[in-house]
Amino acid sequence: MADLILGQTLSFTADPFAAGPGAARHESHGAVLVEGGLIRATGPADALRKAHPQARVTDYGRALISAGFVDAHVHYPQTAIIASWGKRLIDWLNTYTFPEEMRFADPAYAAAVAARYFDLTLANGTTTACSYTTIHPASVDAFFAEAQARGLRALAGKTCMDRDTAPARLRDTAQSAYDDSRALLEKWHGVDRLSYVITPRFSPTSTPDQLAALGALWAEHPECLMQTHLSEQVDEIAWVKSLYPSARDYLDTYETHGLLGTGGLYGHAIHLEPREVDRLKEVDGSLIHCPTSNTFIGSGLFDMGGLTAAGHRVGLATDTGGGSSFSMLRTMAAAYEVAQLRGRALHPAELWWLATQGAARALHLDDRIGNLAPGMEADLVVLDLASTPAIAQATARAETVWEALFPTIMMGDDRAVQAVWVGGKVARGR
Ligand code: GUN
Ligand code: ZN
């Protein structure tokens, strides 16, 4: 039976960075028709009610219906160490991250954290995440099995590290990384709503041999995405230069090993050289902005204004648990603040696009998720735009949808999430 879901609706007809805020379409009495896991129609509520009198109606009143949030870069194994105090990237990895990732040698622990991770992200209205795991293949199985059981679209890959810069208990080899990644790819890629992502953690924890092996795997499986980290902190870049003395720059360590291309997801990408910016544009690589992480770990200010103006493919992400939140609302707020510090006030339409369609586009999934449009998968978030007294009093005087939405972007959290639909079914709320 078809479902007709009523509320305010927000969707996109184009990229607001290119087309302006008019790329967003708002219906104050809108409707979404859902059947068989897909969105079949969107439009004014009255017209859709008349056209589909048999549909089961769920009326969310003044709440806002949007495509579910898409989080383009997370580390689900870092769920339990989120908000750990006082370190910068390399220290933070050694002090908090690597000891926690060692615990994922136990498949039961991996399964428990995967379940907790999806409980938290769904509570925050995120319906797709692209995750790193640990070196343990069972950590990939745990993530995909949990996503599959919940009917979620999800992406992940085995995190590969074979260099002695990583602790011995967290090292694979070039060959085992290739073999394990390939076996996991063959097991999970394209099963239900799951996608495998080839995942060298970053150049400092891989040998050139491992980068080359994973580059070869990507060449054999161009249908898969590849994710890694790039130019997050100044100290990290100096470290890369010392480990790869013949590289022209950080990106070159990926480029010379077959790890630069369309379908490459480059997390952080803050301190880029002009050559790196040009090459990333030429190959149409995805730059993943992780603003709560970049302020929390003290990494720097991503150039959203400059990179989008130059036409780069950009997505938004929490970077859990380097990031300090599971919420894409909080992440939009941080993106706004970081852009302000670089002299650019991002429009709410741009922020919302980054957290939905833009992140989906960065993952090359924008033909399936991230928007309310016929044929898209029915992953929805329903938001109360007056979820706290502070937000309600600010929203009460709003005269436009953007004035009504911006207080929730800046101050909202999981209390704003009234319901979540996954694959055309209610996953949370009523
Ligand atoms: N660079 C390499 N690994 C990581 C990680 O786990 N988190 C962040 N923020 N940066 C990284
Ligand atoms: Zn990361």
Side-chain angles (χ1 to χ4, degrees), residues 73-75 78 92 132 201 228-229 232 267-268 290 293 319-320 322:
H73 178 130
V74 313
H75 298 253
Q78 297 170 13
W92 174 85
Y132 289 66
R201 182 180 213 119
T228 191
H229 296 85
E232 180 177 358
H268 304 277
C290 308
S293 170
D319 191 29
T320 303

PDB file of all heavy atoms in Angstrom, residues 73-75 78 92 132 201 228-229 232 267-268 290 293 319-320 322, ligand 2:
ATOM      1  N   HIS A  73      31.656  10.659   5.705  1.00  0.00           N
ATOM      2  CA  HIS A  73      32.949  10.197   6.246  1.00  0.00           C
ATOM      3  C   HIS A  73      32.796  10.005   7.757  1.00  0.00           C
ATOM      4  O   HIS A  73      32.668  10.970   8.501  1.00  0.00           O
ATOM      5  CB  HIS A  73      34.029  11.238   5.932  1.00  0.00           C
ATOM      6  CG  HIS A  73      35.404  10.932   6.453  1.00  0.00           C
ATOM      7  ND1 HIS A  73      36.537  10.990   5.666  1.00  0.00           N
ATOM      8  CD2 HIS A  73      35.859  10.588   7.688  1.00  0.00           C
ATOM      9  CE1 HIS A  73      37.610  10.711   6.376  1.00  0.00           C
ATOM     10  NE2 HIS A  73      37.223  10.460   7.622  1.00  0.00           N
ATOM     11  N   VAL A  74      32.798   8.753   8.181  1.00  0.00           N
ATOM     12  CA  VAL A  74      32.718   8.451   9.615  1.00  0.00           C
ATOM     13  C   VAL A  74      33.661   7.284   9.913  1.00  0.00           C
ATOM     14  O   VAL A  74      34.071   6.551   9.010  1.00  0.00           O
ATOM     15  CB  VAL A  74      31.286   8.058  10.065  1.00  0.00           C
ATOM     16  CG1 VAL A  74      30.260   9.035   9.499  1.00  0.00           C
ATOM     17  CG2 VAL A  74      30.914   6.639   9.679  1.00  0.00           C
ATOM     18  N   HIS A  75      33.963   7.138  11.195  1.00  0.00           N
ATOM     19  CA  HIS A  75      34.693   5.962  11.679  1.00  0.00           C
ATOM     20  C   HIS A  75      33.791   5.336  12.743  1.00  0.00           C
ATOM     21  O   HIS A  75      33.843   5.746  13.910  1.00  0.00           O
ATOM     22  CB  HIS A  75      36.025   6.360  12.310  1.00  0.00           C
ATOM     23  CG  HIS A  75      36.978   7.034  11.373  1.00  0.00           C
ATOM     24  ND1 HIS A  75      38.102   6.412  10.873  1.00  0.00           N
ATOM     25  CD2 HIS A  75      36.996   8.281  10.840  1.00  0.00           C
ATOM     26  CE1 HIS A  75      38.778   7.246  10.086  1.00  0.00           C
ATOM     27  NE2 HIS A  75      38.123   8.395  10.051  1.00  0.00           N
ATOM     28  N   GLN A  78      35.051   4.408  16.203  1.00  0.00           N
ATOM     29  CA  GLN A  78      35.411   5.464  17.155  1.00  0.00           C
ATOM     30  C   GLN A  78      34.196   5.991  17.921  1.00  0.00           C
ATOM     31  O   GLN A  78      34.286   7.013  18.612  1.00  0.00           O
ATOM     32  CB  GLN A  78      36.129   6.599  16.420  1.00  0.00           C
ATOM     33  CG  GLN A  78      37.450   6.144  15.794  1.00  0.00           C
ATOM     34  CD  GLN A  78      38.062   7.177  14.852  1.00  0.00           C
ATOM     35  OE1 GLN A  78      37.666   8.332  14.820  1.00  0.00           O
ATOM     36  NE2 GLN A  78      39.045   6.743  14.063  1.00  0.00           N
ATOM     37  N   TRP A  92      46.272  12.065  19.023  1.00  0.00           N
ATOM     38  CA  TRP A  92      44.892  11.606  19.238  1.00  0.00           C
ATOM     39  C   TRP A  92      44.731  10.189  18.690  1.00  0.00           C
ATOM     40  O   TRP A  92      44.116   9.325  19.327  1.00  0.00           O
ATOM     41  CB  TRP A  92      43.939  12.609  18.568  1.00  0.00           C
ATOM     42  CG  TRP A  92      42.502  12.223  18.567  1.00  0.00           C
ATOM     43  CD1 TRP A  92      41.587  12.428  19.565  1.00  0.00           C
ATOM     44  CD2 TRP A  92      41.802  11.538  17.512  1.00  0.00           C
ATOM     45  NE1 TRP A  92      40.369  11.923  19.194  1.00  0.00           N
ATOM     46  CE2 TRP A  92      40.467  11.382  17.944  1.00  0.00           C
ATOM     47  CE3 TRP A  92      42.161  11.064  16.258  1.00  0.00           C
ATOM     48  CZ2 TRP A  92      39.507  10.758  17.157  1.00  0.00           C
ATOM     49  CZ3 TRP A  92      41.212  10.440  15.475  1.00  0.00           C
ATOM     50  CH2 TRP A  92      39.903  10.288  15.931  1.00  0.00           C
ATOM     51  N   TYR A 132      34.772   4.211   7.684  1.00  0.00           N
ATOM     52  CA  TYR A 132      35.987   3.447   7.884  1.00  0.00           C
ATOM     53  C   TYR A 132      35.660   2.378   8.928  1.00  0.00           C
ATOM     54  O   TYR A 132      34.683   2.509   9.684  1.00  0.00           O
ATOM     55  CB  TYR A 132      37.110   4.343   8.403  1.00  0.00           C
ATOM     56  CG  TYR A 132      37.647   5.312   7.368  1.00  0.00           C
ATOM     57  CD1 TYR A 132      36.848   6.338   6.877  1.00  0.00           C
ATOM     58  CD2 TYR A 132      38.943   5.205   6.881  1.00  0.00           C
ATOM     59  CE1 TYR A 132      37.335   7.222   5.912  1.00  0.00           C
ATOM     60  CE2 TYR A 132      39.437   6.088   5.919  1.00  0.00           C
ATOM     61  CZ  TYR A 132      38.622   7.098   5.438  1.00  0.00           C
ATOM     62  OH  TYR A 132      39.100   7.971   4.488  1.00  0.00           O
ATOM     63  N   ARG A 201      43.974   3.809   5.017  1.00  0.00           N
ATOM     64  CA  ARG A 201      43.642   4.824   6.020  1.00  0.00           C
ATOM     65  C   ARG A 201      44.187   6.197   5.635  1.00  0.00           C
ATOM     66  O   ARG A 201      43.440   7.147   5.523  1.00  0.00           O
ATOM     67  CB  ARG A 201      44.197   4.426   7.380  1.00  0.00           C
ATOM     68  CG  ARG A 201      43.825   5.451   8.430  1.00  0.00           C
ATOM     69  CD  ARG A 201      44.308   5.164   9.826  1.00  0.00           C
ATOM     70  NE  ARG A 201      43.331   5.677  10.748  1.00  0.00           N
ATOM     71  CZ  ARG A 201      42.653   4.976  11.622  1.00  0.00           C
ATOM     72  NH1 ARG A 201      42.880   3.699  11.762  1.00  0.00           N
ATOM     73  NH2 ARG A 201      41.743   5.553  12.385  1.00  0.00           N
ATOM     74  N   THR A 228      40.099   7.888   1.645  1.00  0.00           N
ATOM     75  CA  THR A 228      41.303   8.064   2.436  1.00  0.00           C
ATOM     76  C   THR A 228      41.300   9.471   3.027  1.00  0.00           C
ATOM     77  O   THR A 228      40.329  10.205   2.887  1.00  0.00           O
ATOM     78  CB  THR A 228      42.563   7.765   1.587  1.00  0.00           C
ATOM     79  OG1 THR A 228      43.697   7.689   2.444  1.00  0.00           O
ATOM     80  CG2 THR A 228      42.795   8.822   0.513  1.00  0.00           C
ATOM     81  N   HIS A 229      42.391   9.812   3.746  1.00  0.00           N
ATOM     82  CA  HIS A 229      42.527  11.140   4.352  1.00  0.00           C
ATOM     83  C   HIS A 229      43.590  11.934   3.592  1.00  0.00           C
ATOM     84  O   HIS A 229      44.567  11.364   3.107  1.00  0.00           O
ATOM     85  CB  HIS A 229      42.958  11.024   5.819  1.00  0.00           C
ATOM     86  CG  HIS A 229      41.945  10.339   6.685  1.00  0.00           C
ATOM     87  ND1 HIS A 229      41.872   8.983   6.811  1.00  0.00           N
ATOM     88  CD2 HIS A 229      40.963  10.846   7.471  1.00  0.00           C
ATOM     89  CE1 HIS A 229      40.887   8.662   7.642  1.00  0.00           C
ATOM     90  NE2 HIS A 229      40.315   9.777   8.060  1.00  0.00           N
ATOM     91  N   GLU A 232      45.119  16.992   6.421  1.00  0.00           N
ATOM     92  CA  GLU A 232      44.241  17.385   7.534  1.00  0.00           C
ATOM     93  C   GLU A 232      44.963  18.348   8.476  1.00  0.00           C
ATOM     94  O   GLU A 232      44.392  19.347   8.901  1.00  0.00           O
ATOM     95  CB  GLU A 232      43.795  16.115   8.256  1.00  0.00           C
ATOM     96  CG  GLU A 232      42.885  16.311   9.446  1.00  0.00           C
ATOM     97  CD  GLU A 232      42.437  14.980  10.036  1.00  0.00           C
ATOM     98  OE1 GLU A 232      42.811  13.920   9.482  1.00  0.00           O
ATOM     99  OE2 GLU A 232      41.719  14.994  11.055  1.00  0.00           O
ATOM    100  N   GLY A 267      39.135  12.823   2.569  1.00  0.00           N
ATOM    101  CA  GLY A 267      38.631  13.412   3.807  1.00  0.00           C
ATOM    102  C   GLY A 267      39.494  14.555   4.283  1.00  0.00           C
ATOM    103  O   GLY A 267      40.721  14.471   4.246  1.00  0.00           O
ATOM    104  N   HIS A 268      38.860  15.626   4.699  1.00  0.00           N
ATOM    105  CA  HIS A 268      39.465  16.852   5.273  1.00  0.00           C
ATOM    106  C   HIS A 268      39.966  17.803   4.183  1.00  0.00           C
ATOM    107  O   HIS A 268      39.387  18.864   4.007  1.00  0.00           O
ATOM    108  CB  HIS A 268      40.538  16.522   6.317  1.00  0.00           C
ATOM    109  CG  HIS A 268      40.011  15.654   7.415  1.00  0.00           C
ATOM    110  ND1 HIS A 268      39.319  16.160   8.490  1.00  0.00           N
ATOM    111  CD2 HIS A 268      40.010  14.309   7.580  1.00  0.00           C
ATOM    112  CE1 HIS A 268      38.932  15.165   9.277  1.00  0.00           C
ATOM    113  NE2 HIS A 268      39.333  14.029   8.742  1.00  0.00           N
ATOM    114  N   CYS A 290      34.795  17.992   7.073  1.00  0.00           N
ATOM    115  CA  CYS A 290      34.466  17.429   8.389  1.00  0.00           C
ATOM    116  C   CYS A 290      34.631  18.534   9.440  1.00  0.00           C
ATOM    117  O   CYS A 290      35.597  18.522  10.220  1.00  0.00           O
ATOM    118  CB  CYS A 290      35.396  16.254   8.710  1.00  0.00           C
ATOM    119  SG  CYS A 290      35.475  14.980   7.427  1.00  0.00           S
ATOM    120  N   SER A 293      35.152  18.005  13.364  1.00  0.00           N
ATOM    121  CA  SER A 293      36.440  17.360  13.599  1.00  0.00           C
ATOM    122  C   SER A 293      37.579  18.360  13.428  1.00  0.00           C
ATOM    123  O   SER A 293      38.529  18.387  14.212  1.00  0.00           O
ATOM    124  CB  SER A 293      36.609  16.197  12.625  1.00  0.00           C
ATOM    125  OG  SER A 293      37.913  15.682  12.655  1.00  0.00           O
ATOM    126  N   ASP A 319      32.770  12.858  10.602  1.00  0.00           N
ATOM    127  CA  ASP A 319      34.047  12.263  11.013  1.00  0.00           C
ATOM    128  C   ASP A 319      33.986  11.740  12.445  1.00  0.00           C
ATOM    129  O   ASP A 319      34.981  11.802  13.177  1.00  0.00           O
ATOM    130  CB  ASP A 319      35.210  13.257  10.834  1.00  0.00           C
ATOM    131  CG  ASP A 319      36.576  12.595  10.998  1.00  0.00           C
ATOM    132  OD1 ASP A 319      36.696  11.392  10.700  1.00  0.00           O
ATOM    133  OD2 ASP A 319      37.517  13.285  11.442  1.00  0.00           O
ATOM    134  N   THR A 320      32.876  11.181  12.850  1.00  0.00           N
ATOM    135  CA  THR A 320      32.798  10.476  14.131  1.00  0.00           C
ATOM    136  C   THR A 320      33.983   9.522  14.238  1.00  0.00           C
ATOM    137  O   THR A 320      34.249   8.813  13.271  1.00  0.00           O
ATOM    138  CB  THR A 320      31.514   9.598  14.162  1.00  0.00           C
ATOM    139  OG1 THR A 320      30.401  10.437  13.931  1.00  0.00           O
ATOM    140  CG2 THR A 320      31.371   8.860  15.453  1.00  0.00           C
ATOM    141  N   GLY A 322      36.544  11.600  15.517  1.00  0.00           N
ATOM    142  CA  GLY A 322      37.359  12.808  15.542  1.00  0.00           C
ATOM    143  C   GLY A 322      36.440  14.014  15.588  1.00  0.00           C
ATOM    144  O   GLY A 322      36.717  15.020  16.235  1.00  0.00           O
TER     145      GLY A 322
HETATM  146 ZN    ZN B   2      38.515  10.152   9.061  1.00  0.00          ZN
END
